[in-house]
Amino acid sequence: MSIIFFDIDGTIMDVNGSIPPSAAEAVRQLRQAGHHCIINTGRPRIAMEPQLLELAFDGLVCSCGQYIQLDGRVLRHVGFDRDTSRKILEAGRRCLVDMYFEEASHIWVDTPHHHHLNRELENAVKRLERGGVRVGRPDGDPDFHFDKVCVLVGPDSRREEFLAEMAPLCQIIDRGGGMFELPMRGYSKASGCRAVAQALGADLADCYAIGDSPNDLEMLACVGHPLVMGDAPAEVQAQAEYVTAPLREDGLYRAMVHMGLLHE
């Protein structure tokens, strides 16, 4: 039995929200063989599309390790309290950054400065709204509190001031293109891997992880077998034990076969 941690976007699911048949078949066969298949994503729990959940993963690590569900039971859910959430909102507004706030069951956006999200977050909002999720605004919501925030900076943003203020509170993940992902300090995809491995009595040296973007680097570094998609940036590929083909070229399935977890 092995544990395999899977990123979502670019690893299992393409930009259109489609899961290639070979990727779905890989997860089905891995679980049938007795392996534990665990989603490990920066997304919040609410952003798990039905087609992902239909693959019946054994567990979910969401919001960079702040929410963990294993075999249907929530092992962890931590986030910022209401006062700290308001403090971060006010700092973002003062420093002219736009923000996308994520909680396990709620999403809020605050975009007064640039009036639009970047393409990645805009697509995420559209997917949620198509699925019936209401994306709210923090003003006037007494329940506003969140687990993680994505921040978008522009030419007029006081980026360094904002990030310096956030550093004691948040892990700062530079996604590139002016986007930063900020989970609570001390939490990451890697901390999620550690918690799942401990719960299942496994050694991380025997675990596998597969991803394609810079926010997967900590996850890839913490397991014994890091696998990377073929269209990942060079810095991510450099972390890999094995670089497979892109998702649409059956990369996920081929990686599992190459590592001996599946047999053609």
Side-chain angles (χ1 to χ4, degrees), residues 161-177:
E161 177 184 340
F162 177 78
L163 294 178
E165 191 168 343
M166 294 300 102
L169 301 170
C170 305
Q171 298 288 107
I172 297 172
I173 303 169
D174 187 350
R175 296 290 302 272

Side-chain angles (χ1 to χ4, degrees), residues 199-212:
L200 294 175
D203 187 337
L204 280 171
D206 299 324
C207 295
Y208 298 75
I210 184 163
D212 75 315

Side-chain angles (χ1 to χ4, degrees), residues 11 21 24 33 36 82 183 185 216 231 246 248 264:
T11 302
H36 293 285
R82 287 170 176 76
R185 190 160 187 81
D216 294 319
D231 48 1
R248 277 292 167 190
E264 288 185 305

Side-chain angles (χ1 to χ4, degrees), residues 14-43:
D14 66 20
V15 293
N16 299 314
S18 297
I19 300 173
S22 64
E25 182 64 14
V27 174
R28 186 190 70 79
Q29 289 189 27
L30 287 166
R31 295 192 70 245
Q32 190 174 53
H35 300 299
H36 293 285
C37 295
I38 311 290
I39 287 284
N40 196 342
T41 181
R43 293 189 190 189

Side-chain angles (χ1 to χ4, degrees), residues 112-169:
H113 308 299
H114 308 115
H115 310 294
H116 63 86
L117 296 170
N118 74 356
R119 184 177 177 184
E120 181 177 353
L121 290 183
E122 187 175 21
N123 287 339
V125 169
K126 287 178 179 177
R127 285 198 303 265
L128 288 168
E129 291 179 333
R130 284 197 301 269
V133 176
R134 188 180 72 85
V135 178
R137 301 279 173 172
D139 287 332
D141 187 344
D143 193 45
F144 173 66
H145 68 287
F146 59 89
D147 301 338
K148 180 173 75 77
V149 58
C150 290
V151 174
L152 306 170
V153 301
D156 56 342
S157 300
R158 299 202 294 274
R159 181 179 74 170
E160 299 309 320
E161 177 184 340
F162 177 78
L163 294 178
E165 191 168 343
M166 294 300 102
L169 301 170

Side-chain angles (χ1 to χ4, degrees), residues 5-9 11 39-43 61-66 68 76 171 173 175 181 183 186-196 204 210-220 222-223:
F5 296 97
F6 299 83
D7 173 50
I8 295 176
D9 298 296
T11 302
I39 287 284
N40 196 342
T41 181
R43 293 189 190 189
V61 176
C62 301
S63 298
C64 293
Q66 290 179 241
I68 300 175
R76 174 193 291 169
Q171 298 288 107
I173 303 169
R175 296 290 302 272
E181 195 169 11
Y187 292 91
S188 66
K189 287 188 174 186
S191 75
C193 289
R194 288 192 289 270
V196 170
L204 280 171
I210 184 163
D212 75 315
S213 67
N215 76 339
D216 294 319
L217 285 170
E218 288 191 43
M219 173 181 75
L220 295 168
C222 83
V223 299

